[in-house]
Amino acid sequence: MKTNITQNISSKQNSKLHLQVNHPVEIIKKRIYKVFGSLFHKFENLSEVVNVTNNFDLLLIPQNHPSRKPTDTYYVDENTVLRTHTSAHQVELLRQGYEQFLVVGDCYRRDEIDSTHYPVFHQMEGVKIFKNTDELTVKNDLVETITTIIELLFPNAPYKLVDSYFPFTTPSYEVEVFWNNKWIEVLGCGLIHPDVMKNAGRENEQAWAFGLGLERLAMILFKIPDIRLFWSTDERFLNQFISGEIIEFKPYSKFPECYKDIAFWINEDYNYNDFCELVRDTGKDLVENVSLIDTFKHPKTGLTSHCYRVCYRSNERNLTNKEVNEMFFELQTLTSNNLHVKLRV
Ligand code: PHE
């Protein structure tokens, strides 16, 4: 199997934003750490390259689950992926005998392109083991822990636990917080599934687990409008956070956008994430958004065409026509050659 990790993605491996002092991702991480005493081991440097077994199999993720597909996940080779979540370390650490731990790290998913999606993002996982106890005790401790996190991050905001589903926890919940006049989802959690505990060789124990996205929380709490900003090295961004506090981000001037439309006849193998990957690889962080603006089915041939609008905009500077044209030309060429679709011109 050929890897689907692009040059754009590999250039971001090892960036470790969660270790960069006073980066918003690091500030949120530290804030949540305050909830957990020294009994919790903190793992911040586990490799993002994990095997399929740990990322999916041992967590009971079904063989045919869409998240396993190379359209959704970056594969190093057939048996190795860039972790799609920090849950990939649950079984490994439980097997090593850890009883209470937090894992923070970069995770990778192929996805669409807009202000809240970026192929690299950071998660925090929490796990705590219990011996000789009943489910209710474990659940109560989970709720208490989650409540402390939520009250620390969102003081005085209403929140609720909503039933949810993850293959590796049962029961499973999502926590929603009422913030800026709407309910937002902030984390997933639950009691670790007995079969996962068995996979970890700890069938006689029980445990809770939670997982949360650090960029997502940081975007909400700092009011950061575009997920690409986390990757900015511009001092107008980074210097706003040197106090290490959660403060409101002050946007600096917005630079002009440049739209380019591309239309092509799709085929059976066509996948939207594959197209987005080419947009990212050719446009890097200069791409702000991709949207499908038109779908057309030819009455005679039965072929379907998609028209996408790609929005190029830098958060740091003006783009020149020349560079946008070059990126877009490269996108057209790669779309035609790599996706085997016919461009409409
Ligand atoms: N790994 C899940 C996700 O990425 C979150 C999660 C972690 C859910 C732990 C339950 C328990 O969406």
Side-chain angles (χ1 to χ4, degrees):
M1 183 198 215
K2 212 171 130 247
T3 181
N4 57 356
I5 302 173
T6 59
Q7 158 63 31
N8 181 42
I9 294 300
S10 47
S11 74
K12 302 216 153 64
Q13 284 177 257
N14 285 312
S15 303
K16 302 204 184 291
L17 299 183
H18 58 291
L19 299 181
Q20 197 176 307
V21 176
N22 291 342
H23 187 283
V25 164
E26 193 257 5
I27 296 173
I28 297 289
K29 174 198 81 175
K30 275 221 196 118
R31 184 62 64 101
I32 304 175
Y33 275 178
K34 289 195 175 148
V35 173
F36 299 92
S38 56
L39 288 178
F40 274 80
H41 280 84
K42 300 182 181 69
F43 296 91
E44 303 189 318
N45 256 317
L46 299 175
S47 173
E48 73 285 9
V49 180
V50 301
N51 55 42
V52 169
T53 318
N54 284 288
N55 198 80
F56 297 120
D57 302 344
L58 295 169
L59 296 172
L60 318 175
I61 297 175
Q63 282 302 327
N64 60 1
H65 195 275
S67 67
R68 287 188 183 246
K69 296 213 179 85
T71 52
D72 288 42
T73 293
Y74 293 102
Y75 279 80
V76 176
D77 60 43
E78 220 165 316
N79 305 314
T80 323
V81 296
L82 301 185
R83 68 184 158 216
T84 63
H85 53 179
T86 42
S87 302
H89 300 288
Q90 277 187 13
V91 171
E92 163 197 347
L93 294 171
L94 287 173
R95 277 183 184 163
Q96 288 171 25
Y98 292 100
E99 316 240 297
Q100 309 186 24
F101 56 85
L102 298 168
V103 180
V104 178
D106 37 329
C107 301
Y108 298 76
R109 290 185 200 171
R110 296 175 100 235
D111 221 322
E112 56 199 271
I113 303 180
D114 63 23
S115 64
T116 61
H117 289 89
Y118 200 83
V120 192
F121 57 97
H122 296 75
Q123 282 192 337
M124 181 189 289
E125 189 91 4
V127 173
K128 183 174 172 184
I129 288 272
F130 294 78
K131 297 174 206 286
N132 310 318
T133 186
D134 55 303
E135 197 177 299
L136 190 64
T137 309
V138 184
K139 191 190 158 187
N140 286 342
D141 192 76
L142 171 64
V143 173
E144 202 178 299
T145 308
I146 298 297
T147 304
T148 319
I149 298 177
I150 299 296
E151 284 176 353
L152 184 72
L153 296 177
F154 302 93
N156 305 317
Y159 55 87
K160 59 185 177 190
L161 231 66
V162 182
D163 284 329
S164 183
Y165 176 77
F166 300 102
F168 40 91
T169 50
T170 183
S172 305
Y173 308 96
E174 240 151 39
V175 178
E176 293 185 6
V177 177
F178 196 72
W179 193 250
N180 289 332
N181 280 317
K182 52 179 189 286
W183 286 100
I184 49 172
E185 194 189 299
V186 295
L187 61 84
C189 62
L191 305 194
I192 297 185
H193 195 292
D195 291 342
V196 176
M197 294 302 283
K198 205 180 281 172
N199 288 338
R202 307 187 76 144
E203 50 267 64
N204 299 321
E205 293 157 279
Q206 285 181 296
W208 56 242
F210 71 82
L212 52 83
L214 293 169
E215 277 86 351
R216 192 178 153 71
L217 287 171
M219 287 182 83
I220 296 164
L221 292 167
F222 290 86
K223 293 206 167 77
I224 294 174
D226 181 344
I227 196 164
R228 290 179 296 163
L229 284 164
F230 291 107
W231 297 86
S232 172
T233 51
D234 193 318
E235 298 195 340
R236 285 170 297 180
F237 179 75
L238 293 175
N239 284 350
Q240 292 196 25
F241 310 105
I242 49 179
S243 68
E245 295 297 319
I246 297 182
I247 47 129
E248 196 169 310
F249 169 66
K250 295 203 178 46
Y252 32 96
S253 64
K254 216 168 174 182
F255 295 90
E257 75 277 29
C258 178
Y259 291 106
K260 293 280 176 192
D261 291 351
I262 177 169
F264 46 86
W265 299 104
I266 60 166
N267 55 39
E268 285 153 22
D269 298 332
Y270 173 71
N271 177 278
Y272 180 44
N273 285 352
D274 289 341
F275 173 66
C276 287
E277 200 63 42
L278 293 182
V279 181
R280 292 239 192 240
D281 211 30
T282 51
K284 306 285 184 303
D285 282 2
L286 303 177
V287 190
E288 181 169 275
N289 181 281
V290 175
S291 54
L292 176 64
I293 55 169
D294 189 46
T295 303
F296 168 72
K297 188 165 179 188
H298 195 285
K300 294 220 177 79
T301 61
L303 291 174
T304 299
S305 87
H306 281 183
C307 181
Y308 295 97
R309 180 157 293 171
V310 181
C311 174
Y312 294 97
R313 189 207 309 265
S314 164
N315 279 316
E316 278 95 33
R317 60 184 176 84
N318 278 313
L319 299 178
T320 64
N321 279 331
K322 184 167 173 282
E323 68 182 320
V324 173
N325 287 338
E326 280 171 6
M327 289 186 289
F328 187 66
F329 179 72
E330 206 192 339
L331 173 64
Q332 288 174 309
T333 310
L334 290 182
T335 301
S336 161
N337 292 349
N338 297 14
L339 303 183
H340 309 292
V341 299
K342 195 166 172 341
L343 296 186
R344 292 181 68 180
V345 280

